[in-house]
Amino acid sequence: MLDLHCHILPGLDDGAAELGVSLEMAALAADSGVTHVFATPHCNTRNPQKNFRSRELIEAYTALQRELDRADIPIRILSGAEVLARGHFAQHLAAGDFMTLNASRYLLVEFYFDESPAYIEDCLAAVEAEGLVPVVAHPERYFCVQHAPELAQRWADAGRVLQLNKGSLLGDLGEDAYITAALLLRRGAVSVIASDAHHFRFRTPHMGALLDCLARRFPEADPALLLRENPLRIAKDQTL
Ligand SMILES: [Fe+2]
């Protein structure tokens, strides 16, 4: 499996606070059958640490890979970021400040939970105007989608990629997120499920419980497609 969304880089956001946590997270992911982890630190948030494209950020991916190799943890780190659409989003987009997923055309974008549909649409269109394909991080967590799931269905129909969070399907992120995630998954609107992991104890990158949940509750979903084939196509910059 490939985990498309994971806060595994140490010290860059509210995910892994230091290298030891990153290594524990990677070991958990590997134990559950994950081979590749897209390292997607928060980007363009209100925090001073913006995680825009930089020499330091690129060094952070390779430094973590070196440590994983040294610790014999069989995980390949792929580059990326979870870009919050706010502030001067369009200007940064045009300036190429955002790290796409493994340097592909795919950009992982998140929104404030209470963001308006009109603003989200403007931002998705801005991503496309740059020749990129938006991957919408956890649409099931946005209030507008919880109120009107057909909104996210329309994004998917228009070629935007929907990425559900593992925790939403496991019920860890609230009932509204679960109901919305289940509905989008059953409608076939979802292309990828990822961990959005922040630690090794809570919101972890271990995929075991998710696979059990999919088999039990969502027999119509295709785990191989959602957790391997589609993220692999994204990593290879292929169309879904
Ligand atoms: Fe995230």
Side-chain angles (χ1 to χ4, degrees):
M1 287 176 282
L2 292 81
D3 188 355
L4 195 80
H5 180 168
C6 189
H7 298 266
I8 194 169
L9 285 186
L12 292 190
D13 64 4
D14 60 343
E18 41 95 14
L19 178 63
V21 176
S22 305
L23 296 180
E24 295 269 12
M25 289 172 72
L28 265 190
D31 278 349
S32 72
V34 172
T35 54
H36 297 69
V37 173
F38 291 77
T40 54
H42 288 291
C43 170
N44 195 40
T45 63
R46 289 182 192 278
N47 300 334
Q49 182 99 323
K50 297 292 182 200
N51 293 323
F52 293 144
R53 178 189 306 281
S54 69
R55 191 183 298 264
E56 292 74 21
L57 182 54
I58 291 165
E59 171 56 21
Y61 307 113
T62 52
L64 177 56
Q65 186 66 64
R66 268 198 308 275
E67 296 296 338
L68 291 170
D69 294 346
R70 191 173 298 164
D72 256 334
I73 299 170
I75 290 285
R76 304 309 301 172
I77 294 293
L78 305 178
S79 58
E82 180 182 23
V83 181
L84 179 60
R86 62 164 281 278
H88 300 290
F89 176 74
Q91 289 92 318
H92 287 299
L93 194 56
D97 289 337
F98 302 141
M99 298 294 293
T100 61
L101 294 164
N102 198 33
S104 70
R105 77 193 81 169
Y106 295 93
L107 184 71
L108 183 64
V109 184
E110 72 165 336
F111 299 91
Y112 286 126
F113 291 173
D114 62 351
E115 197 55 85
S116 73
Y119 181 80
I120 293 177
E121 179 56 41
D122 285 352
C123 291
L124 296 177
V127 172
E128 290 162 340
E130 291 300 321
L132 301 175
V133 177
V135 178
V136 181
H138 40 66
E140 75 279 9
R141 304 194 73 188
Y142 306 142
F143 302 152
C144 62
V145 175
Q146 293 175 350
H147 291 137
E150 61 274 14
L151 192 60
Q153 177 78 59
R154 282 204 295 276
W155 298 337
D157 292 344
R160 285 84 182 246
V161 178
L162 303 190
Q163 175 256 304
L164 289 189
N165 272 10
K166 171 184 81 130
S168 298
L169 289 170
L170 294 178
D172 297 339
L173 301 174
E175 191 179 3
D176 290 339
Y178 173 76
I179 290 169
T180 309
L183 187 141
L184 292 174
L185 184 60
R186 291 199 170 109
R187 284 188 183 171
V190 175
S191 295
V192 179
I193 306 173
S195 76
D196 194 6
H198 283 66
H199 200 264
F200 58 88
R201 287 211 187 86
F202 44 88
R203 296 184 78 181
T204 80
H206 195 284
M207 294 296 191
L210 174 67
L211 294 174
D212 291 346
C213 166
L214 290 174
R216 260 196 346 268
R217 295 189 185 179
F218 303 97
E220 67 276 55
D222 181 351
L225 185 69
L226 296 163
L227 291 155
R228 191 174 65 235
E229 288 163 35
N230 279 340
L232 184 59
R233 284 177 199 154
I234 289 172
K236 290 179 170 175
D237 196 25
Q238 296 169 346
T239 53
L240 300 193

